[in-house]
Amino acid sequence: MSYKQLDSPITAKLCNLLVEAEYGDLASRVFSILARHGRQTLAGIVRASYFNGRQIKLGLVVLVQQHLVFYSSTDQRVTYYEINWHQAYALVRIGKVLTLAENRFGKKASNLLSNLITLGHARIADLKEAYFPSSAEKSAADDHSDDDDDDDDAADDNPDDSRVNGVNSSNGKISDVQLNGTRGVERRKSSSSPPEDAKPILNLDNDLEASYLNGYPPTNASTTESKVPQANGAVDPTNSANDDEPENDWVQSTEELYATIYHLMRQGWIIKVDQMQYLSAGDLDAMARKEITAEEFPNRPLTGPKDKTRLEIATVQRKRRYREQWLQVPYFESQSDKRKAAGVNEKASKRLKINGTYVSRSESAHSVNSTNGTAYPEDDLVIRLNHEKVAVAMRTEQLTRLVQHRLGFSTAQVYRTLLGILEVNLARCYEEWPDPVPPPQDGIDVQVEPHFLVTARDVAEKIDPAIDLLDGLDPKAIVKHVGNSKVVEDTRLDPPINPFQISRDEKTKIVDVHMQLLQSDPFRFVIWYSRAGYSQWRVDFEKIAKATIELEIENTITARKGPLGVKLIRALKKKGKLDERQACNTMMMSAHDIRGTINDMVVQGFVQTQEIPRVDRREAKLSIHLIWYDLQRAREKLLYDTYKGMVRIMQRLAFEKEQVASLLQKAERTDVVGNEAKYLTKRELDALRKWKDVENKLLLQLYRQDELVATLGDFLGPLVTI
Amino acid sequence: MATPSTTVKVEGSAQPAAPAESPAPLDQNRADQLYNKCAEAPEGTIFYQRDLSSMHVAETTSQLTQLLQELVDRHLMKLMISDNEPCWKLRSRDEADKLRQLSPEERILYHHIDQEQNKGIWSKALRAKTNLTAQALSKCLKSLEAKNLVQSVMSVKFPNRKMYLLKHLQPSEEVAGGPWQSEGDFDAALIDTISRVVESYMQKETCLNLPMDWNQYPTSDRTSAIARKKRIQNYPTALSVRNAIMSMGIIKDKNIAEQDMEQLLEMMVLDGKLEKVSGTNYRTCITSREVESYNGFVDAPCGNCPVFELCGDEGEISARTCVYFGEWLQTESEPVY
Ligand code: SF4
């Protein structure tokens, strides 16, 4: 993963800040030791720090529970710890994850994920216990009357609301959706100091593995302590009474809980926890290699390149197999009962309202007596969030935005629908472990697996009926397919067509027109495959990802250097290495006009130079000077700079917060919360508002920079350069 | 749209194009249908698979491959490679007829001459490439000239060389000459003027300005009811733009050849004023940037910071003391003493 440079000093700094914000001082100190010293044993960490072994263990337990460190005990006596950079970086995305999940699966699912993220990973039984403590008598089913409004709530509420609910319901909606992550972050930080969380799994002297296997011990006092208030907060009738909107963001019954988990697993958002996930990339590779060597080459050393290739191929295959196992959804007894009972159509709707509200209602009706539900074998399953899937969802959103920018709203919605259909079948954005030699693709005749194809009809059926599909199209193209209208004055439809009353077939044809737009765009958002379902399409994600990387680099250059810089980059991209004269010819400009730009771009690291001597003596005058553009290098440079930008934003945020620290303390006092106007002076109120603005502005850019990081690093593997 | 129908297989000159599938019986009409659809596009259009497939003639990709192979065999289409992708260009039926009557040697020569386009190819080079005897070569070339397929010109650079190129092409003006330059340098004023004209011409050709009430169905709230540009699926080529510009009579004393226009259009693509739809077709970029927003990095102070490389976690240049952040957030930074 070196091209993502996640182990550079800058990212170490960034991840450290994130860990600190999320899990407090102790965990972040241990993290930073590991970041500075690399792979270490417990003793090694202790030696490098001012802490004693006990404290270090406390920190480590948090990091392990959150998958922020890898550990390996290949050697029976010592365990090595190593940072899991991806997981650490992903902390910045928590808010994003919840928003994405909410848009796809509704609020209950995003709440569930939010809890799962807080816990790091959890045994299903413990989640159940946290939601529905066996001691609590109140039946969740009481609140069920409101179920039907579920949909509307989910659409315009903050995904975090329910968690924040108990605490600052009066605060209203100060922040937009983007900010959820941090609000969550702050809350968690204050509510769970590491040592408390850590207690249950402190037997790591003997065996750290136990910590992961146990997941979250059900009997632990602090667990219930930290979780129950949340659970109660939402279920508590008094609380929901305060709110005008019905309180339905919280999973209402154990059946619903199982159903939600099951659904999220089938969608690939939740995966099983496996011991192997604690192995670093290097350790995992070594393990696969060892296995293969033992199986395929027993009692003989590897000889020659042929054996080596075989080993390489078998190793990546093995690694892929491990990974696929994590994704497999085990048999859920709770779900098989349920499906029999209600015949739920799993794939029917994208939002799915968590298996249909009716289902859970009828279910809960006859199982109300057992508050904590029946125990099922799947209770012992330990689960966690799947970050790879998050990247897939982020990609969908980004591409939709890009299409909207280029082709307009309705075409973007068509594309979003298409990507949504594909999403279920995409476990990740790109294959991290491809076969060493990719299979040759001959000509235009590509064979694509059916589940990577979408037809115009699929989209027409699935797309939100409230979208005006005629919008954004050439009227002449519309009248070809819909109704009996004609086009007058080249622009007006006569008579007008009601876009919401077109037949299914017409709709399919109109979707096809949008597809044509998507296809003819230089980004080639879709590629035609066959005439099945009126027209059938595939998406070449790799090419698009590359094009979006190029776009972001161009955006950066435009902002810094204006159009001329971009023109130069494009010329180089098209023509390869150029000397000055050739560059002039391509850009149709005189050397005098482009020289300055070339120099600036070289300094900024976007353009590379090369000197080829023409004579024996190396004299600048007698050499050919070539400039060229290397996408991978430019990408790495921008990625690295963006990480740095994120660090600066977080540092500035900390600085700004320092400035208002005492004011914030006052504002957060319990007697002040809700009565700000009474206890705070006007100046204080102004300062508070100002701080909120500053915070929002900084966080917004932080999240947008994370989007950029995703575009640059998460959607496409390293590019092979010339 | 044609409904799939099974009919006779066409004559057997075609090698099986899609080895993966057994050659399904093809309809000659369908190949012609494809040809006719292509002929509707502006002259000189280059077609990629995606363009051809969206014409709704072929059922599947492999069938499309077969149809194309058939057209290529009948010389109605020319297979080319552009950007590592196969693409096709139409030949007129006339030209195709002529080509079909050529002898094998003549056809090879024609192919080589075609390759060089407006640069032309020296007869000696042709001989080296084809291994023909001098007599056979000159006989074939004569016959090609007689059939009005190729022409010969004397090279300006090497006055004793006879260069061959296709009949309908203009020989290139050697080296960096051409209409866009004056006195050895690019004529910025001319380029600027002409690209403006081209830009507005392309706007007219490829976009449509829709009024707010373009579809006045009865409804109360329409957030999207704003006048704006829509795409029309008509994408001019270098040749058609050239013809249009020349006929406007703006350029008087110079001749702009198709290649010159292509050079200009390509430059405009680099400028972001046009986008290339496929091989030779261009259209206007509609995505105008309404707001000054690029990406999260450059929209924040650090992305544009002149001291970015010098800025550290602490010290005189750092996020705490940063004047740019101070300006951007309207807050006080830590003073530096
Ligand atoms: S923090 Fe300020 S000085 Fe440092 S890089 Fe960013 S803008 Fe520049």
Side-chain angles (χ1 to χ4, degrees):
Chain A
M1 285 295 101
S2 67
Y3 83 98
K4 282 190 199 163
Q5 309 172 71
L6 273 171
D7 46 2
S8 65
I10 277 296
T11 37
K13 183 87 201 165
L14 176 62
C15 292
N16 220 332
L17 289 169
L18 290 167
V19 171
E20 191 179 340
E22 193 86 1
Y23 303 109
D25 197 35
L26 188 59
S28 87
R29 297 261 181 119
V30 178
F31 187 90
S32 97
I33 294 164
L34 281 172
R36 258 180 294 133
H37 297 267
R39 199 177 162 93
Q40 287 292 317
T41 60
L42 181 58
I45 304 173
V46 173
R47 229 174 296 126
S49 74
Y50 297 110
F51 295 110
N52 60 36
R54 214 187 90 82
Q55 287 167 310
I56 296 288
K57 277 183 217 160
L58 288 174
L60 267 180
V61 163
V62 177
L63 296 179
V64 167
Q65 174 75 22
Q66 297 295 339
H67 294 256
L68 290 166
V69 295
F70 294 116
Y71 65 85
S72 122
S73 345
T74 23
D75 182 341
Q76 293 291 319
R77 285 153 305 165
V78 270
T79 303
Y80 283 95
Y81 300 91
E82 197 176 335
I83 284 178
N84 181 346
W85 293 106
H86 281 91
Q87 185 78 14
Y89 177 80
L91 290 176
V92 79
R93 268 182 204 165
I94 292 177
K96 184 112 230 148
V97 172
L98 301 181
T99 316
L100 291 170
E102 188 189 335
N103 292 339
R104 281 165 179 69
F105 313 113
K107 202 164 225 170
K108 293 178 184 177
S110 84
N111 277 334
L112 180 92
L113 280 178
S114 150
N115 285 325
L116 196 54
I117 293 169
T118 315
L119 295 170
H121 58 236
R123 217 162 59 96
I124 291 183
D126 301 327
L127 268 178
K128 196 164 76 175
E129 181 65 25
Y131 270 89
F132 307 104
S134 352
S135 53
E137 280 316 310
K138 222 179 59 61
S139 162
D142 287 356
D143 285 347
H144 259 227
S145 51
D146 301 316
D147 260 0
D148 292 4
D149 298 308
D150 179 275
D151 229 8
D152 316 9
D153 297 354
D156 46 34
D157 266 4
N158 268 328
D160 248 333
D161 271 359
S162 72
R163 292 169 53 219
V164 186
N165 230 333
V167 192
N168 63 345
S169 47
S170 63
N171 241 356
K173 286 168 191 163
I174 16 153
S175 51
D176 63 10
V177 197
Q178 297 268 32
L179 303 175
N180 291 321
T182 319
R183 273 212 272 155
V185 168
E186 282 168 11
R187 249 182 47 69
R188 239 169 285 134
K189 184 178 158 193
S190 57
S191 75
S192 64
S193 55
E196 264 178 56
D197 267 356
K199 256 176 228 155
I201 18 180
L202 242 184
N203 51 351
L204 93 168
D205 307 55
N206 317 332
D207 189 6
L208 231 166
E209 291 172 23
S211 73
Y212 110 85
L213 284 172
N214 285 345
Y216 223 88
T219 50
N220 179 265
S222 72
T223 317
T224 22
E225 219 171 80
S226 66
K227 296 315 297 175
V228 164
Q230 291 192 4
N232 283 346
V235 180
D236 183 10
T238 49
N239 189 10
S240 48
N242 291 343
D243 242 307
D244 315 342
E245 292 168 344
E247 195 53 66
N248 245 321
D249 312 340
W250 205 256
V251 170
Q252 302 284 328
S253 65
T254 51
E255 284 75 17
E256 205 174 16
L257 182 70
Y258 283 118
T260 310
I261 294 173
Y262 182 67
H263 183 57
L264 288 174
M265 286 190 90
R266 307 229 335 175
Q267 295 288 323
W269 280 68
I270 291 182
I271 51 172
K272 287 186 277 189
V273 171
D274 189 292
Q275 177 60 58
M276 268 185 253
Q277 289 162 6
Y278 276 113
L279 293 180
S280 63
D283 285 333
L284 191 70
D285 190 85
M287 176 172 154
R289 216 161 276 268
K290 217 166 112 193
E291 277 182 25
I292 299 290
T293 319
E295 286 166 26
E296 307 239 338
F297 308 94
N299 323 322
R300 78 176 170 93
L302 292 186
T303 49
K306 226 169 139 191
D307 277 0
K308 269 209 184 112
T309 334
R310 223 176 94 199
L311 176 67
E312 287 311 316
I313 295 177
T315 306
V316 288
Q317 273 173 358
R318 180 60 53 95
K319 287 199 284 187
R320 290 203 298 259
R321 210 171 79 202
Y322 295 149
R323 195 186 55 193
E324 298 322 317
Q325 278 167 5
W326 307 338
L327 290 177
Q328 263 164 31
V329 184
Y331 179 71
F332 264 53
E333 208 144 276
S334 57
Q335 294 311 298
S336 71
D337 289 358
K338 182 181 236 165
R339 266 197 311 278
K340 261 181 261 148
V344 189
N345 185 357
E346 295 269 303
K347 287 192 172 167
S349 93
K350 194 168 101 196
R351 290 271 302 271
L352 205 85
K353 298 179 196 146
I354 311 313
N355 279 352
T357 29
Y358 329 104
V359 180
S360 50
R361 191 194 300 203
S362 64
E363 282 297 306
S364 56
H366 68 72
S367 61
V368 164
N369 51 349
S370 60
T371 323
N372 216 357
T374 344
Y376 286 108
E378 56 262 30
D379 281 1
D380 281 330
L381 204 62
V382 185
I383 52 172
R384 63 183 288 216
L385 173 74
N386 179 12
H387 281 289
E388 284 190 317
K389 194 74 186 191
V390 174
V392 175
M394 281 178 84
R395 182 174 67 183
T396 299
E397 304 303 317
Q398 281 196 13
L399 291 182
T400 306
R401 242 176 292 146
L402 181 61
V403 171
Q404 177 155 355
H405 180 59
R406 298 185 62 85
L407 300 166
F409 177 76
S410 44
T411 309
Q413 291 309 308
V414 167
Y415 198 46
R416 188 176 211 283
T417 311
L418 175 142
L419 293 176
I421 296 171
L422 289 176
E423 223 176 69
V424 189
N425 299 317
L426 299 169
R428 58 192 63 81
C429 287
Y430 68 93
E431 180 52 73
E432 197 180 319
W433 298 316
D435 283 323
V437 197
Q441 285 207 345
D442 46 330
I444 58 171
D445 215 356
V446 198
Q447 289 303 319
V448 182
E449 310 242 345
H451 57 275
F452 295 133
L453 294 169
V454 179
T455 67
R457 184 156 300 140
D458 296 339
V459 174
E461 272 162 21
K462 209 141 202 193
I463 197 164
D464 180 353
I467 288 164
D468 176 358
L469 281 174
L470 302 185
D471 191 48
L473 297 181
D474 179 359
K476 290 200 198 69
I478 295 173
V479 294
K480 258 194 230 160
H481 302 295
V482 183
N484 306 313
S485 304
K486 33 182 218 310
V487 182
V488 291
E489 298 162 31
D490 260 3
T491 54
R492 245 175 273 271
L493 289 179
D494 183 37
I497 301 171
N498 183 341
F500 307 111
Q501 280 180 6
I502 54 179
S503 75
R504 190 164 150 257
D505 273 358
E506 288 170 337
K507 209 168 174 185
T508 306
K509 287 178 189 166
I510 288 296
V511 167
D512 181 68
V513 178
H514 285 286
M515 293 291 195
Q516 307 274 356
L517 284 180
L518 288 165
Q519 162 160 267
S520 68
D521 190 275
F523 275 84
R524 310 277 172 243
F525 290 112
V526 293
I527 298 167
W528 182 85
Y529 189 72
S530 81
R531 281 175 80 180
Y534 198 71
S535 57
Q536 195 177 33
W537 306 85
R538 69 187 170 93
V539 179
D540 189 340
F541 284 110
E542 229 170 85
K543 280 218 181 94
I544 298 173
K546 194 172 158 209
T548 47
I549 292 173
E550 282 169 354
L551 178 72
E552 287 304 349
I553 292 170
E554 286 182 3
N555 275 343
T556 308
I557 294 169
T558 316
R560 287 180 181 172
K561 281 280 111 205
L564 199 51
V566 177
K567 188 173 178 181
L568 176 67
I569 293 290
R570 291 192 184 141
L572 293 174
K573 200 167 74 191
K574 192 169 124 199
K575 298 273 177 164
K577 293 188 182 179
L578 296 180
D579 65 18
E580 193 177 65
R581 199 183 57 84
Q582 292 165 318
C584 290
N585 272 340
T586 316
M587 296 169 70
M588 295 178 75
M589 294 172 77
S590 66
H592 173 76
D593 293 336
I594 62 173
R595 229 167 255 160
T597 310
I598 292 180
N599 279 342
D600 284 353
M601 303 283 286
V602 169
V603 171
Q604 287 185 12
F606 286 116
V607 166
Q608 324 291 322
T609 55
Q610 187 178 13
E611 187 182 333
I612 301 174
R614 246 188 308 209
V615 290
D616 286 347
R617 292 166 298 134
R618 259 198 77 167
E619 254 182 71
K621 262 196 194 158
L622 297 172
S623 301
I624 306 173
H625 294 265
L626 295 178
I627 49 173
W628 88 97
Y629 166 64
D630 181 320
L631 180 59
Q632 178 66 16
R633 281 198 213 192
R635 173 194 188 188
E636 284 173 16
K637 170 83 175 115
L638 182 55
L639 188 57
Y640 184 80
D641 284 354
T642 307
Y643 289 139
K644 202 162 158 189
M646 292 173 86
V647 170
R648 298 290 172 253
I649 286 185
M650 292 202 60
Q651 286 170 337
R652 183 69 188 199
L653 189 62
F655 169 74
E656 297 287 354
K657 200 168 180 175
E658 260 172 47
Q659 310 304 303
V660 289
S662 57
L663 177 59
L664 285 178
Q665 240 171 29
K666 187 171 174 192
E668 276 161 16
R669 261 168 34 197
T670 40
D671 55 330
V672 178
V673 170
N675 301 309
E676 280 87 354
K678 192 161 126 205
Y679 288 107
L680 299 179
T681 66
K682 184 169 177 308
R683 254 188 69 203
E684 283 174 327
L685 282 173
D686 284 348
L688 208 56
R689 206 166 306 127
K690 170 77 191 162
W691 151 249
K692 277 290 157 206
D693 287 348
V694 165
E695 190 189 29
N696 285 356
K697 199 165 177 182
L698 286 168
L699 286 176
L700 179 69
Q701 292 310 322
L702 184 70
Y703 296 134
R704 287 187 65 211
Q705 302 201 352
D706 171 47
E707 292 276 333
L708 183 58
V709 167
T711 311
L712 293 170
D714 291 345
F715 302 156
L716 187 66
L719 294 157
V720 190
T721 45
I722 4 133
Chain B
M1 298 295 115
T3 42
S5 60
T6 20
T7 26
V8 235
K9 164 101 173 73
V10 209
E11 42 88 49
S13 72
Q15 305 102 321
E21 260 178 65
S22 60
L26 277 185
D27 192 345
Q28 178 159 12
N29 290 332
R30 199 174 280 190
D32 284 326
Q33 206 183 347
L34 187 64
Y35 180 86
N36 291 339
K37 285 229 175 188
C38 293
E40 288 168 14
E43 200 186 332
T45 300
I46 288 179
F47 300 93
Y48 286 84
Q49 188 231 342
R50 52 181 175 270
D51 308 316
L52 298 163
S53 60
S54 55
M55 292 177 180
H56 283 289
V57 175
E59 289 293 335
T60 61
T61 331
S62 42
Q63 197 191 56
L64 182 67
T65 322
Q66 287 179 37
L67 288 178
L68 288 169
Q69 186 61 45
E70 189 190 322
L71 287 172
V72 169
D73 290 339
R74 287 163 61 192
H75 301 291
L76 284 166
M77 283 222 184
K78 174 173 149 190
L79 173 67
M80 307 189 297
I81 301 285
S82 156
D83 293 336
N84 289 323
E85 254 190 280
C87 53
W88 293 265
K89 201 170 174 175
L90 229 51
R91 284 202 180 100
S92 71
R93 288 194 185 269
D94 228 29
E95 200 186 342
D97 280 341
K98 279 185 199 158
L99 283 180
R100 236 169 302 166
Q101 286 152 20
L102 295 182
S103 71
E105 289 87 20
E106 286 171 345
R107 204 171 287 160
I108 292 174
L109 283 176
Y110 182 88
H111 173 75
H112 284 299
I113 297 172
D114 189 11
Q115 292 275 298
E116 294 301 324
Q117 285 292 306
N118 66 338
K119 282 200 282 294
I121 183 166
W122 186 22
S123 46
K124 277 243 174 79
L126 271 176
R127 227 184 105 188
K129 282 194 172 177
T130 52
N131 272 334
L132 291 173
T133 61
Q135 291 100 321
L137 182 77
S138 69
K139 190 174 141 241
C140 289
L141 286 172
K142 279 231 172 64
S143 135
L144 283 172
E145 273 185 272
K147 283 174 182 148
N148 249 339
L149 285 168
V150 307
Q151 56 176 324
S152 61
V153 288
M154 287 303 175
S155 164
V156 198
K157 233 181 180 178
F158 309 99
N160 47 1
R161 285 187 187 178
K162 213 175 182 186
M163 312 291 283
Y164 285 87
L165 66 159
L166 295 191
K167 185 72 189 179
H168 60 275
L169 294 177
Q170 288 266 344
S172 69
E173 293 178 49
E174 265 303 334
V175 211
W180 307 121
Q181 299 200 340
S182 70
E183 287 153 29
D185 220 336
F186 281 100
D187 184 342
L190 177 73
I191 293 171
D192 200 50
T193 318
I194 302 301
S195 32
R196 256 173 242 260
V197 176
V198 169
E199 208 182 333
S200 72
Y201 170 77
M202 293 297 273
Q203 281 255 0
K204 221 171 69 229
E205 289 293 305
T206 65
C207 297
L208 182 64
N209 274 309
L210 284 190
M212 285 206 292
D213 55 349
W214 68 279
N215 181 19
Q216 256 189 321
Y217 65 92
T219 176
S220 49
D221 73 315
R222 290 210 69 200
T223 43
S224 58
I226 36 163
R228 66 189 145 153
K229 294 199 183 89
K230 305 283 152 78
R231 285 226 180 278
I232 317 176
Q233 291 222 357
N234 166 41
Y235 308 131
T237 63
L239 184 59
S240 65
V241 178
R242 182 243 161 223
N243 293 344
I245 299 296
M246 287 313 279
S247 68
M248 288 179 199
I250 317 164
I251 306 172
K252 292 204 180 68
D253 46 351
K254 285 179 175 174
N255 180 34
I256 310 280
E258 181 185 352
Q259 292 80 29
D260 302 322
M261 186 51 75
E262 190 178 337
Q263 187 190 8
L264 184 74
L265 294 179
E266 284 296 314
M267 190 276 291
M268 290 175 71
V269 170
L270 299 181
D271 259 338
K273 297 205 174 99
L274 300 180
E275 48 189 41
K276 201 166 179 172
V277 188
S278 64
T280 47
N281 301 69
Y282 301 83
R283 69 182 186 193
T284 305
C285 288
I286 286 193
T287 51
S288 53
R289 206 177 280 285
E290 308 94 24
V291 270
E292 286 282 296
S293 164
Y294 300 96
N295 60 42
F297 179 52
V298 282
D299 290 347
C302 303
N304 269 311
C305 174
V307 289
F308 185 75
E309 304 292 339
L310 302 173
C311 185
D313 292 333
E314 49 211 12
E316 271 181 41
I317 304 179
S318 71
R320 299 174 71 91
T321 63
C322 174
V323 283
Y324 307 102
F325 262 122
E327 233 170 79
W328 189 60
L329 296 167
Q330 312 240 312
T331 55
E332 295 285 324
S333 296
E334 197 168 76
V336 187
Y337 302 105

